[in-house]
Amino acid sequence: EVQLVQSGSEVQKPGESVKISCKGSGYSFSNYWIGWVRQMPGKGLEWMGVIYPDDSDTRYNPSFQGQVTISADKSISTAYLQWTSLKASDTAMYYCARRAGTTPGLRFFDNWGQGTPVTVSS
Amino acid sequence: SYELTQPPSVSVSPGQTARITCSGDVLSKQYAIWYQQRPGQAPVSVIFKDSERPSGIPERFSGSSSGTTVTLTISGVQAEDEADYYCQSADSRGTWVFGGGTKVTVL
């Protein structure tokens, strides 16, 4: 069974850094793109970017480029999303998800993590 | 960048048919995907490649495409189908985008 298990909730102050994680199991983690999706309170889904764990090839939504860093450690089947200086506007639920496959027709997420809520408040 | 446009809400009585549209120029060239997100839960894909159903998704969910518009149809709506629904696609450069979401209310 494919599973993506995310790290727990985070409460941070503006300007602080944080790194949340997403551990995959039940499949060959290295060979499937992993993405991150933001959902601000009461709002819709936003695609942040994806990473291919085998070679760390990373693609970002231009809206998030430079604001966050996506990384992965294939040796422990874990992907990460990190901020170096949080803002209150980063308060949201963050989901990791697995891309279904590498062909163009499979540009969608077929398995999702449970979500990590991040709250940024002074 | 590109946009996908969905109606904010759709209301339907139990047993009736709900149709949700998603419009965008990219849809004439790229596949669409539909996700269901129930309150407090992570999204789940219910349609991919415009009209294919992942395993485990009930047959009452179907998808279609015409030009720059794709449609998610839920036939014989049940109370458990009350959720937010999002379309998603990707452009040729590999940038993905979600529609704004449609809240389906079962009356």
Side-chain angles (χ1 to χ4, degrees), chain A residues 13-19 66-69 81-87 90:
Chain A
K13 290 181 166 48
E16 294 185 335
S17 62
V18 73
K19 190 174 188 178
Q67 309 304 308
V68 296
T69 301
L81 178 65
Q82 69 179 93
W83 296 258
T84 56
S85 182
L86 285 160
K87 301 185 282 287
D90 292 318

Side-chain angles (χ1 to χ4, degrees), chain A residues 39 95 105 107-109 112, chain B residues 33 35 37 41 43 49 88 90:
Chain A
Q39 187 166 38
Y95 293 100
R107 286 192 188 126
F108 71 100
F109 295 128
W112 294 67
Chain B
I33 298 87
Y35 299 92
Q37 187 181 31
Q41 297 186 19
K49 278 191 182 179
Q88 176 244 305

Side-chain angles (χ1 to χ4, degrees), chain B residues 9-98:
Chain B
S9 62
V10 166
S11 298
V12 60
S13 299
Q16 299 303 302
T17 296
R19 293 182 180 85
I20 307 165
T21 58
C22 172
S23 301
D25 289 342
V26 69
L27 298 175
S28 65
K29 306 181 188 69
Q30 304 291 338
Y31 288 119
I33 298 87
W34 289 95
Y35 299 92
Q36 175 195 66
Q37 187 181 31
R38 294 189 174 112
Q41 297 186 19
V44 172
S45 53
V46 294
I47 293 290
F48 68 101
K49 278 191 182 179
D50 292 345
S51 59
E52 295 193 30
R53 237 183 355 264
S55 61
I57 299 302
E59 289 185 11
R60 65 180 181 273
F61 289 89
S62 63
S64 61
S65 175
S66 178
T68 59
T69 299
V70 294
T71 302
L72 173 68
T73 300
I74 312 172
S75 304
V77 165
Q78 301 181 7
E80 67 196 49
D81 299 331
E82 186 162 285
D84 294 324
Y85 292 83
Y86 296 90
C87 60
Q88 176 244 305
S89 190
D91 67 16
S92 57
R93 296 170 298 171
T95 300
W96 299 18
V97 73
F98 290 96

Side-chain angles (χ1 to χ4, degrees), chain A residues 10-23:
Chain A
E10 296 279 356
V11 179
Q12 304 286 347
K13 290 181 166 48
E16 294 185 335
S17 62
V18 73
K19 190 174 188 178
I20 63 176
S21 66
C22 169
K23 183 172 176 61

